[in-house]
Amino acid sequence: MPEPTTATGGLLAAIAGTGRDAVRGGYSRPVFSTAERDLVSWYEAELTARGLEPEIDRNGIVWAWWNPAGLPLEGAVVTGSHLDSVPGGGAFDGPLGLASALRALDLLRGRGVEPARPLGLAVFPEEEGSRFGVACLGSRLLTGAVTAERALNLTDPDGNTFADVARRAGLDPAGFGRDEEALARIGTFVELHVEQGRGLVDLDAPVAVASSILGHGRWRFSVHGQGNHAGTTLLDDRRDPLLAASRVVVAVREVAAANPGARATVGRLQPVPGGTNVIASRVDLWLDVRHPDDAVTAAVVAEISRRAVELAAGEGCTVQVREESLSPTVDFDPALARRLGATLGGVPALATGAGHDAGVLAAHVPTAMLFTRNPTGVSHSPEEFCTDDDAEAGSVALADVLADLLR
């Protein structure tokens, strides 16, 4: 890895070896894993080195406050992101926003900014939902968008409950749930994130302000058949759920293509028991659907579900469908977005198809996002990238908007 050329690049270089995935490539940093906890420790050490005192709240969110005037925390300006990743993800999705927050704080202090409001830095757990299936779980718990009961009973692929894993990480499951006090401290929230498409590449710009997030959700389809022996069971005697599931995957693409603007993906498929010489008894597949019109999202899922039942029956199988998470389309606070755009001299405004904690918080507090250019246009993949110069430009832009909001 080349030597970093900017301060933001240096912060990211310090964690470049944490959570590398030798099998998938990229990084695998599921929530409460050793890699993710190591990143939290790194971040807490960076905060401490800047004279801030990190604290972990009852929902597992890490907070720290720059408040030299000793002001009440209610109505503060907050910036932050996440440290967990998808399996085999890129180096910048999440950590870039937190490295930029640290760098922005350094820049604000270097400029001699005297904040008239406290500045909070926050790390939200399980943003990706890669371990427990519900994206933005930390911010959903904070706001009450998911109940504590449901969250605590979520299980990871190894059968561990969220409650058990959180307890082993030093958290008290009895404390999870909507936190009015923490919400009251957030007067304005700004999240910086690496762009997860190629909007800025095509515009030849390093930074943009977010305008909206596509409505999106996740559904689990369980296709039930009959487990049996691969060598002794004649083809005509099989009720093979993997064959049915494969037809459902094709139908997902067909239904999405018939609805302009829709995006539908099956990124994970799990046969049970999963033996090479075994006809599966059940196949679980996870569907991700997104569209700017929430009614279209619902219609796409309904049609895929209908097709799944039909296709499964053709193979002598049945299907159960369960919604795991659903987020409506988010339009970020327009006045705040205009203010950020004006502060930055009229940078582009971009919509995104990716979900973020900022999208969950937007229903409760004025919220905005900044995107930093990704020259590959690829994300959730080892090919995700951000140059040191663009990372620094994003940090400077974040410092500029925070300086304005802190007046």
Side-chain angles (χ1 to χ4, degrees), residues 177-216:
R178 181 177 170 91
D179 190 335
E180 297 288 355
E181 181 180 354
L183 268 176
R185 296 185 306 201
I186 309 174
T188 306
F189 182 77
V190 180
E191 179 174 0
L192 180 142
H193 205 280
V194 68
E195 193 201 355
Q196 296 178 279
R198 54 175 300 111
L200 285 170
V201 176
D202 294 339
L203 293 168
D204 192 26
V207 177
V209 175
S211 58
S212 62
I213 296 176
L214 290 184
H216 57 282

Side-chain angles (χ1 to χ4, degrees), residues 29 38 44 46 61 67 86 97 110 122 143 178-179 195 216 246 248 295-296 348 363 373 376 381 385:
R29 299 159 166 169
D38 286 347
E44 289 177 331
E46 291 289 343
I61 302 167
N67 187 21
V86 298
T143 60
R178 181 177 170 91
D179 190 335
E195 193 201 355
H216 57 282
S246 67
V248 173
V296 175
R373 178 166 49 194
T376 67
S381 161
F385 193 61

Side-chain angles (χ1 to χ4, degrees), residues 254-293:
E254 292 172 348
V255 173
N259 289 269
R263 303 167 194 184
T265 307
V266 175
R268 180 180 167 204
L269 187 148
Q270 183 175 314
V272 178
T276 303
N277 59 346
V278 179
I279 300 167
S281 59
R282 186 184 87 241
V283 174
D284 294 327
L285 61 90
W286 283 262
L287 172 70
D288 180 301
V289 178
R290 307 179 188 226
H291 193 278
D293 185 335

Side-chain angles (χ1 to χ4, degrees), residues 11 32 48 54 63 69-70 74 81 84 88 95 106 115 134 154 156 182 255 267 327 361 374 400:
L11 286 164
F32 298 139
T48 300
W63 299 90
E74 287 75 19
S81 194
D84 65 297
D106 294 343
V134 177
L154 294 171
D156 69 9
V255 173
S327 300
L361 293 173
N374 173 358
D400 290 344

